[in-house]
Amino acid sequence: MSRKEDMKKRILIIGAGASGLMAAIQAAKCGANVTVLEHKERAGKKLLSTGNGRCNLTNLKQKEEHYRCSRLDFPGEVLRQFSVKDTLEFFESLGILPKSRNGYIYPNSDQAASVVEALLLEVKRLGVKMIYQCHVDNATKMGEAFLLHTNLGDFKGDALILAAGSKAAPVTGSDGSGYELAKMFGHRIITPLPALVQLCCEGNHYKELAGVRTDAKLTVYVDGKLLASDEGELQLTSYGISGIPTFQISRYASIGLHRKQKVTVKINFLPHMSQSEVREMIEQRIQAMGDRTCRQWMNGMLNGKLSKVLLKLAKISDEQKVKEISAAKWRKLESQLTAYETEVTATNPFENAQVCCGGVDVKQVQEKTLESRLVEGLYFCGELLDVDGICGGYNLQWAWSSGAVAGRWASK
């Protein structure tokens, strides 16, 4: 090693996902000597699966409420230092041509692999050392230096960035090992739970509904308290509910279940109509189609399998004539159409989750620099922190922003 290289600040980064690669690039650009340790056989495995393999890089519609955290102001402090504009300029400088789909930003190639390749080309150009299949067994700080004991030997650095991810999608490398490393330095971990995940619901009729997709508005209640709602394409499965609106509310269900609270979801299958419009529509159809069977009366309103189940729940026979149904039963059907209620019994496991809620408590992390308040020279970024975004590129924007902030400040 030359004397010039020897004088550079040595930065160790654990994790070669989105935030770890961004941290490495930004630190190297600032003149640091950077080594990235990754326990998988290659970098960016989780990044390759984002956006169904197309990589939803970011989203033009940024609001602080799109990010959830125990300190509501924390994500915004980081995102302002490396914004969506900075993200777009950064990837364009790497040769990635971005395109927008209603504000959702993807590479024009529609390939996550092209994003990973561009990042690795930049890492190589900057001279960042990438070490794969490296498992960190122990991490300590000895005086001014950090010492990592691994299966490939010991590594020493002046600063350490933990970018090891959460517990979501462990097959890609996010196995929760980063939490244990953070604990070694005295950091408190808010229990990680699956988020952006499917919900398992009570009721044997879900097997009849498996495969149905329909527009709906979902509202989640925990012990009777309304916590969140979202609208979009709902997917009904043999075990419960899925789709983007389910993912958006799932963190609240996950936390409620962890606390042994009652979690219910109300579903409006006619979200584009007001309650009075729904009632008027029902009455008009009764007047116009009195001689039809109830199954025929429902035709064209909702998916056939869903209609059959909702009629059954309203205690209406699908072969009974419309004109024979009592007003009370029509009110029950109206309720099923606009406020169908289901009890959530579980979330799907970490293997199915896109991200986690929980992680390193941000109260112990400086929002400006992402440096530990407990250990000087220790930094955090990405999903390891107690920050999670909604679907739509927000979690990747958090990875880029937090990685850039950690990398820049660690190199100073």
Side-chain angles (χ1 to χ4, degrees):
M1 183 182 291
S2 68
R3 179 171 175 78
K4 185 178 179 181
E5 284 290 310
D6 196 45
M7 291 175 66
K8 287 184 176 181
K9 188 170 186 179
R10 300 166 301 170
I11 296 180
L12 299 173
I13 300 175
I14 300 177
S19 66
L21 291 172
M22 177 62 88
I25 289 168
Q26 297 299 329
K29 280 185 173 181
C30 292
N33 185 325
V34 182
T35 300
V36 180
L37 310 179
E38 167 57 46
H39 67 179
K40 301 299 281 187
E41 70 283 358
R42 59 177 175 168
K45 287 197 75 171
K46 189 171 185 180
L47 187 53
L48 287 170
S49 65
T50 58
N52 291 320
R54 293 180 300 153
C55 194
N56 187 183
L57 283 167
T58 185
N59 199 303
L60 298 179
K61 302 168 186 174
Q62 293 283 325
K63 293 182 181 179
E64 289 196 11
E65 56 262 36
H66 292 150
Y67 298 87
R68 288 79 173 257
C69 179
S70 57
R71 268 193 60 194
L72 297 180
D73 61 329
F74 186 91
E77 292 288 339
V78 175
L79 293 159
R80 279 188 284 274
Q81 293 185 66
F82 194 86
S83 65
V84 171
K85 181 174 180 288
D86 295 320
T87 298
L88 295 176
E89 290 175 353
F90 169 77
F91 280 105
E92 285 185 38
S93 75
L94 300 187
I96 298 296
L97 181 64
K99 67 178 174 184
S100 173
R101 291 194 180 98
N102 297 318
Y104 295 72
I105 302 298
Y106 296 86
N108 201 55
S109 63
D110 271 334
Q111 291 180 300
S114 62
V115 176
V116 174
E117 183 178 1
L119 290 167
L120 290 177
L121 285 171
E122 183 69 353
V123 158
K124 184 177 180 180
R125 184 185 74 83
L126 293 167
V128 173
K129 300 179 191 69
M130 300 292 296
I131 300 175
Y132 297 106
Q133 295 183 303
C134 183
H135 303 272
V136 180
D137 301 314
N138 191 41
T140 57
K141 189 175 185 186
M142 309 284 288
E144 295 297 309
F146 288 89
L147 184 63
L148 305 182
H149 298 288
T150 82
N151 60 313
L152 299 180
D154 292 348
F155 294 85
K156 197 173 182 181
D158 304 305
L160 173 62
I161 300 175
L162 295 184
S166 63
K167 293 178 76 172
V171 70
T172 63
S174 298
D175 62 357
S177 55
Y179 301 131
E180 298 307 312
L181 294 171
K183 286 180 186 177
M184 290 177 189
F185 292 103
H187 275 268
R188 181 169 56 249
I189 306 299
I190 295 172
T191 304
L193 299 168
L196 299 188
V197 70
Q198 306 88 351
L199 299 178
C200 304
C201 301
E202 194 173 72
N204 55 19
H205 56 271
Y206 283 101
K207 290 180 181 177
E208 298 176 55
L209 295 171
V212 172
R213 292 171 179 251
T214 183
D215 286 343
K217 181 179 180 180
L218 276 62
T219 306
V220 62
Y221 296 82
V222 176
D223 276 353
K225 183 180 179 182
L226 189 161
L227 291 188
S229 64
D230 199 76
E231 187 176 323
E233 187 181 70
L234 170 68
Q235 297 176 28
L236 294 159
T237 71
S238 60
Y239 54 80
I241 55 177
S242 183
I244 288 178
T246 303
F247 294 162
Q248 307 291 43
I249 65 170
S250 60
R251 77 179 312 272
Y252 302 100
S254 200
I255 293 169
L257 292 167
H258 178 69
R259 293 173 177 170
K260 309 297 183 187
Q261 296 171 302
K262 184 177 181 179
V263 178
T264 56
V265 173
K266 284 188 178 179
I267 303 175
N268 183 350
F269 292 108
L270 298 170
H272 308 306
M273 301 174 71
S274 68
Q275 195 71 38
S276 61
E277 287 173 334
V278 171
R279 182 162 294 182
E280 184 179 348
M281 179 269 293
I282 290 173
E283 290 172 354
Q284 286 177 349
R285 289 172 77 95
I286 292 170
Q287 292 293 324
M289 308 175 193
D291 288 328
R292 290 190 182 184
T293 66
C294 291
R295 180 189 62 78
Q296 293 167 339
W297 182 88
M298 289 284 286
N299 182 52
M301 186 189 304
L302 293 175
N303 176 282
K305 290 200 291 186
L306 177 58
S307 295
K308 185 176 181 179
V309 167
L310 295 183
L311 283 170
K312 189 187 297 183
L313 292 172
K315 302 190 184 310
I316 296 175
S317 168
D318 57 2
E319 293 306 317
Q320 196 171 359
K321 288 288 180 72
V322 168
K323 61 187 177 184
E324 297 171 358
I325 306 303
S326 68
K329 286 188 176 180
W330 286 121
R331 294 287 82 82
K332 282 185 179 179
L333 179 61
E334 179 186 324
S335 178
Q336 293 299 329
L337 289 167
T338 60
Y340 165 91
E341 186 171 310
T342 185
E343 183 171 348
V344 179
T345 56
T347 69
N348 269 357
F350 288 111
E351 285 77 7
N352 300 105
Q354 293 183 25
V355 296
C356 287
C357 55
V360 173
D361 191 344
V362 297
K363 294 183 180 71
Q364 297 178 329
V365 179
Q366 297 181 43
E367 62 274 14
K368 183 180 179 182
T369 64
L370 295 182
E371 184 177 17
S372 166
R373 293 183 183 274
L374 309 181
V375 181
E376 187 178 354
L378 174 64
Y379 296 80
F380 301 92
C381 60
E383 287 185 37
L384 188 62
L385 289 158
D386 175 32
V387 177
D388 58 289
I390 64 172
C391 284
Y394 297 98
N395 288 291
L396 268 185
Q397 182 58 53
W398 172 251
W400 310 134
S401 296
S402 60
V405 169
R408 288 172 178 177
W409 283 97
S411 64
K412 291 188 178 183

